[in-house]
Short mmCIF file of all heavy atoms in Angstrom, two decimals:
data_model
loop_
_atom_site.label_atom_id
_atom_site.label_comp_id
_atom_site.label_asym_id
_atom_site.label_seq_id
_atom_site.Cartn_x
_atom_site.Cartn_y
_atom_site.Cartn_z
N PHE A 4 20.10 -151.60 -35.96
CA PHE A 4 20.94 -152.76 -36.29
C PHE A 4 20.55 -153.95 -35.46
O PHE A 4 20.43 -153.84 -34.22
CB PHE A 4 22.44 -152.42 -35.99
CG PHE A 4 23.02 -151.31 -36.88
CD1 PHE A 4 22.90 -150.02 -36.48
CD2 PHE A 4 23.68 -151.63 -38.00
CE1 PHE A 4 23.45 -149.02 -37.30
CE2 PHE A 4 24.23 -150.67 -38.84
CZ PHE A 4 24.16 -149.35 -38.47
N LEU A 7 21.00 -161.36 -35.67
CA LEU A 7 20.06 -162.51 -35.90
C LEU A 7 20.31 -163.71 -35.00
O LEU A 7 19.53 -164.70 -35.00
CB LEU A 7 19.93 -162.83 -37.31
CG LEU A 7 19.29 -161.76 -38.24
CD1 LEU A 7 19.37 -162.18 -39.72
CD2 LEU A 7 17.90 -161.44 -37.87
N SER A 16 15.77 -162.24 -31.48
CA SER A 16 15.11 -162.00 -30.15
C SER A 16 13.69 -161.48 -30.43
O SER A 16 13.36 -160.98 -31.55
CB SER A 16 15.90 -160.93 -29.45
OG SER A 16 15.88 -159.66 -30.07
N SER A 25 7.81 -153.71 -37.41
CA SER A 25 7.35 -152.39 -37.41
C SER A 25 8.15 -151.45 -38.37
O SER A 25 7.86 -150.28 -38.53
CB SER A 25 7.40 -151.77 -35.99
OG SER A 25 8.73 -151.71 -35.56
N THR A 35 29.39 -161.16 -44.21
CA THR A 35 30.31 -161.24 -42.97
C THR A 35 29.97 -162.44 -42.14
O THR A 35 30.84 -163.01 -41.43
CB THR A 35 30.29 -159.98 -42.15
OG1 THR A 35 28.92 -159.78 -41.75
CG2 THR A 35 30.71 -158.77 -42.94
N LEU A 49 8.51 -165.90 -41.50
CA LEU A 49 8.34 -165.74 -40.07
C LEU A 49 8.24 -164.31 -39.67
O LEU A 49 7.44 -163.92 -38.78
CB LEU A 49 9.59 -166.38 -39.35
CG LEU A 49 9.58 -166.26 -37.80
CD1 LEU A 49 8.39 -166.94 -37.19
CD2 LEU A 49 10.89 -166.78 -37.28
N TYR A 50 9.06 -163.44 -40.20
CA TYR A 50 9.05 -162.04 -39.83
C TYR A 50 7.88 -161.22 -40.43
O TYR A 50 7.58 -160.11 -39.93
CB TYR A 50 10.39 -161.35 -40.31
CG TYR A 50 11.62 -162.02 -39.78
CD1 TYR A 50 12.89 -161.77 -40.33
CD2 TYR A 50 11.56 -162.98 -38.74
CE1 TYR A 50 14.02 -162.43 -39.91
CE2 TYR A 50 12.69 -163.63 -38.27
CZ TYR A 50 13.94 -163.34 -38.88
OH TYR A 50 15.13 -163.94 -38.39
N PRO A 66 26.70 -147.32 -49.78
CA PRO A 66 25.50 -147.51 -48.93
C PRO A 66 24.47 -146.48 -49.19
O PRO A 66 24.03 -145.73 -48.26
CB PRO A 66 26.12 -147.52 -47.55
CG PRO A 66 27.27 -146.61 -47.62
CD PRO A 66 27.81 -146.76 -49.02
N ILE A 77 14.24 -147.93 -40.70
CA ILE A 77 14.97 -148.95 -41.38
C ILE A 77 15.65 -149.92 -40.44
O ILE A 77 16.14 -149.49 -39.37
CB ILE A 77 16.13 -148.30 -42.31
CG1 ILE A 77 15.58 -147.20 -43.14
CG2 ILE A 77 16.85 -149.32 -43.12
CD1 ILE A 77 14.46 -147.66 -44.08
N THR A 90 32.87 -153.17 -40.57
CA THR A 90 32.10 -152.52 -41.57
C THR A 90 30.73 -152.07 -41.01
O THR A 90 30.15 -151.06 -41.44
CB THR A 90 31.83 -153.41 -42.75
OG1 THR A 90 31.32 -152.66 -43.84
CG2 THR A 90 30.99 -154.63 -42.46
N ALA A 98 25.89 -143.13 -40.62
CA ALA A 98 24.52 -142.74 -40.30
C ALA A 98 24.54 -141.56 -39.34
O ALA A 98 23.79 -140.59 -39.49
CB ALA A 98 23.73 -143.87 -39.67
N ILE A 108 20.08 -153.88 -31.45
CA ILE A 108 19.42 -154.97 -30.75
C ILE A 108 20.37 -156.21 -30.98
O ILE A 108 20.49 -156.65 -32.07
CB ILE A 108 17.99 -155.25 -31.32
CG1 ILE A 108 17.14 -153.99 -31.19
CG2 ILE A 108 17.37 -156.47 -30.64
CD1 ILE A 108 15.77 -154.09 -31.78
N VAL A 117 31.16 -170.09 -28.08
CA VAL A 117 32.29 -171.01 -27.99
C VAL A 117 32.69 -171.34 -26.55
O VAL A 117 33.21 -172.40 -26.22
CB VAL A 117 33.53 -170.49 -28.82
CG1 VAL A 117 33.24 -170.48 -30.25
CG2 VAL A 117 33.96 -169.16 -28.28
N GLY A 129 42.94 -164.68 -25.63
CA GLY A 129 43.62 -163.50 -26.06
C GLY A 129 43.02 -163.01 -27.35
O GLY A 129 41.87 -163.18 -27.64
N GLY A 143 52.94 -165.80 -59.25
CA GLY A 143 52.48 -167.18 -59.48
C GLY A 143 52.82 -168.11 -58.34
O GLY A 143 52.62 -169.30 -58.41
N ASP A 153 51.41 -166.46 -36.01
CA ASP A 153 52.04 -165.43 -35.12
C ASP A 153 51.12 -165.09 -33.97
O ASP A 153 51.56 -164.88 -32.86
CB ASP A 153 52.41 -164.20 -35.87
CG ASP A 153 53.55 -164.41 -36.87
OD1 ASP A 153 54.46 -165.24 -36.60
OD2 ASP A 153 53.53 -163.74 -37.96
N PHE A 157 51.86 -165.60 -29.98
CA PHE A 157 51.82 -164.55 -29.02
C PHE A 157 50.88 -164.83 -27.90
O PHE A 157 51.24 -164.70 -26.71
CB PHE A 157 51.26 -163.25 -29.72
CG PHE A 157 51.14 -162.08 -28.80
CD1 PHE A 157 52.22 -161.30 -28.39
CD2 PHE A 157 49.90 -161.81 -28.22
CE1 PHE A 157 52.06 -160.24 -27.53
CE2 PHE A 157 49.71 -160.74 -27.34
CZ PHE A 157 50.79 -159.98 -26.98
N THR A 165 43.35 -169.01 -28.22
CA THR A 165 43.09 -168.23 -29.43
C THR A 165 41.89 -168.73 -30.17
O THR A 165 41.69 -169.89 -30.51
CB THR A 165 44.29 -168.38 -30.40
OG1 THR A 165 45.55 -168.05 -29.66
CG2 THR A 165 44.21 -167.45 -31.61
N LEU A 187 47.89 -174.16 -40.61
CA LEU A 187 48.77 -173.87 -39.46
C LEU A 187 49.95 -174.85 -39.34
O LEU A 187 51.05 -174.41 -39.06
CB LEU A 187 47.96 -173.88 -38.19
CG LEU A 187 46.91 -172.76 -38.00
CD1 LEU A 187 46.01 -173.05 -36.80
CD2 LEU A 187 47.60 -171.43 -37.83
N GLN A 195 59.22 -174.15 -37.82
CA GLN A 195 59.79 -175.05 -36.78
C GLN A 195 59.90 -174.35 -35.48
O GLN A 195 60.95 -174.50 -34.75
CB GLN A 195 61.15 -175.59 -37.30
CG GLN A 195 61.09 -176.56 -38.45
CD GLN A 195 60.39 -177.87 -38.11
OE1 GLN A 195 60.65 -178.49 -37.11
NE2 GLN A 195 59.50 -178.24 -39.01
N VAL A 198 54.91 -174.01 -32.21
CA VAL A 198 53.65 -173.45 -31.81
C VAL A 198 52.53 -174.51 -31.88
O VAL A 198 51.65 -174.53 -30.98
CB VAL A 198 53.37 -172.24 -32.70
CG1 VAL A 198 51.93 -171.73 -32.48
CG2 VAL A 198 54.34 -171.09 -32.49
N GLY A 206 37.53 -177.99 -32.29
CA GLY A 206 36.68 -177.66 -33.51
C GLY A 206 35.26 -177.63 -33.12
O GLY A 206 34.76 -178.52 -32.43
N ARG A 209 28.46 -175.75 -36.61
CA ARG A 209 26.96 -175.53 -36.50
C ARG A 209 26.51 -175.07 -35.18
O ARG A 209 25.46 -175.61 -34.64
CB ARG A 209 26.27 -176.80 -37.01
CG ARG A 209 26.60 -177.11 -38.44
CD ARG A 209 25.95 -178.42 -38.89
NE ARG A 209 26.42 -179.53 -38.00
CZ ARG A 209 27.58 -180.12 -38.13
NH1 ARG A 209 28.45 -179.77 -39.05
NH2 ARG A 209 27.92 -181.14 -37.31
N TYR A 221 44.45 -183.70 -30.59
CA TYR A 221 45.69 -183.01 -30.96
C TYR A 221 45.63 -182.55 -32.38
O TYR A 221 45.08 -183.17 -33.28
CB TYR A 221 46.84 -184.02 -30.75
CG TYR A 221 47.03 -184.29 -29.29
CD1 TYR A 221 46.43 -185.38 -28.65
CD2 TYR A 221 47.86 -183.44 -28.47
CE1 TYR A 221 46.56 -185.60 -27.30
CE2 TYR A 221 47.97 -183.66 -27.15
CZ TYR A 221 47.38 -184.72 -26.54
OH TYR A 221 47.50 -184.90 -25.11
#
Side-chain angles (χ1 to χ4, degrees):
F4 294 89
L7 294 174
S16 67
S25 63
T35 57
L49 178 62
Y50 304 163
I77 307 301
T90 190
I108 300 176
V117 293
D153 290 329
F157 176 82
T165 308
L187 290 171
Q195 294 292 313
V198 172
R209 299 173 302 282
Y221 291 92

